[in-house]
Amino acid sequence: MHGSVTVPAPTPDPKRQLIVRHARQHFVREGYAATKIEPIAREAGVSTATLYALFGGKAALFTAVIDDAAEDFSRQMACVRAIEGDARAALTSFAEAYGGFMGDPFVRSIFRLVMAERPRFQALALRFFEKGRSEFGATLIGIIVRLSRSGALGPVEHPSWAAGHLMGMIEHPVFFVPLVTGDEVRVRRSIEAIAAEAVETFLARYGA
């Protein structure tokens, strides 16, 4: 009986990755309609024919850009994991990491781009939003379930609702306010202060 063979993941094509990264800058800065293929190919050091051979057209390139950004976000999300300790320490660690991620101007720029192009790329936009929500949400739900089972939190009937409550208290000031008002408007409170207040409010509702 032969053992299982692990097939290595395909190595990313450096040329393709370079095109995607230059395209990301153009789409974020100029929007989908105004972005031209020729400058992207020139900056990436490839011919327009090569770019079209790799992606087929601007719509496929835009899809690759958003999927690549989602993978970038996944790598950042992978750093947000539960730390050992009491409820306040574990939840604060998550809240500060989540606040730092959602408060990143680049993250907002990608969200703005996806929102602006949602009518044209609805399936892509939904996939992008659901990926972020499920990955961050799953991490926090796991923390809440563990803390509830250990008695560090009270009984939590709906861990997903509880996770939504904590994430919402962080998202509003660090993400949605700047998303709507513009990056020049800054929340006066630090991410640490926002996280601490959100955790205290959460513990007042769900604490043991």
Side-chain angles (χ1 to χ4, degrees):
M1 185 176 188
H2 297 288
S4 61
V5 177
T6 301
V7 178
T11 303
D13 181 349
K15 186 182 299 183
R16 191 179 190 279
Q17 288 297 104
L18 188 60
I19 293 170
V20 167
R21 293 309 166 107
H22 281 289
R24 177 192 289 188
Q25 296 171 11
H26 280 267
F27 283 127
V28 167
R29 187 171 60 243
E30 300 156 18
Y32 179 83
T35 294
K36 305 297 183 188
I37 291 294
E38 291 77 10
I40 296 171
R42 185 168 59 249
E43 291 169 17
V46 301
S47 67
T48 304
T50 297
L51 190 151
Y52 276 107
L54 287 170
F55 295 97
K58 188 161 74 168
L61 179 57
F62 181 79
T63 298
V65 164
I66 300 305
D67 284 339
D68 181 69
E71 288 305 314
D72 267 1
F73 294 166
S74 289
R75 285 187 284 273
Q76 294 184 53
M77 292 173 195
C79 299
V80 182
R81 291 292 180 261
I83 65 167
E84 294 302 319
D86 62 14
R88 182 173 282 99
L91 293 169
T92 298
S93 174
F94 174 90
E96 289 181 353
Y98 186 60
F101 175 80
M102 295 302 287
D104 186 334
F106 170 69
V107 173
R108 284 196 298 276
S109 72
I110 294 295
F111 270 83
R112 285 195 188 99
L113 178 60
V114 173
M115 288 168 63
E117 300 303 331
R118 182 172 178 174
R120 185 181 286 133
F121 296 96
Q122 188 166 19
L124 175 64
L126 289 173
R127 186 167 76 240
F128 178 80
F129 288 125
E130 286 301 319
K131 184 177 178 64
R133 179 189 298 172
S134 63
E135 291 195 13
F136 262 130
T139 296
L140 181 54
I141 289 169
I143 296 172
I144 291 169
V145 168
R146 175 176 65 81
L147 292 171
S148 181
R149 286 175 177 170
S150 70
L153 290 178
V156 181
E157 186 177 353
H158 299 289
S160 61
W161 296 4
H165 293 162
L166 181 57
M167 293 169 72
M169 286 188 283
I170 298 163
E171 290 166 0
H172 182 264
V174 305
F175 179 75
F176 287 110
V177 169
L179 186 72
V180 173
T181 59
D183 288 335
E184 63 276 5
V185 177
R186 294 191 172 274
V187 177
R188 294 180 181 178
R189 292 177 296 160
S190 67
I191 287 174
E192 290 76 14
I194 291 168
E197 184 175 335
V199 169
E200 289 304 317
T201 303
F202 183 88
L203 290 175
R205 168 63 178 84
Y206 295 102

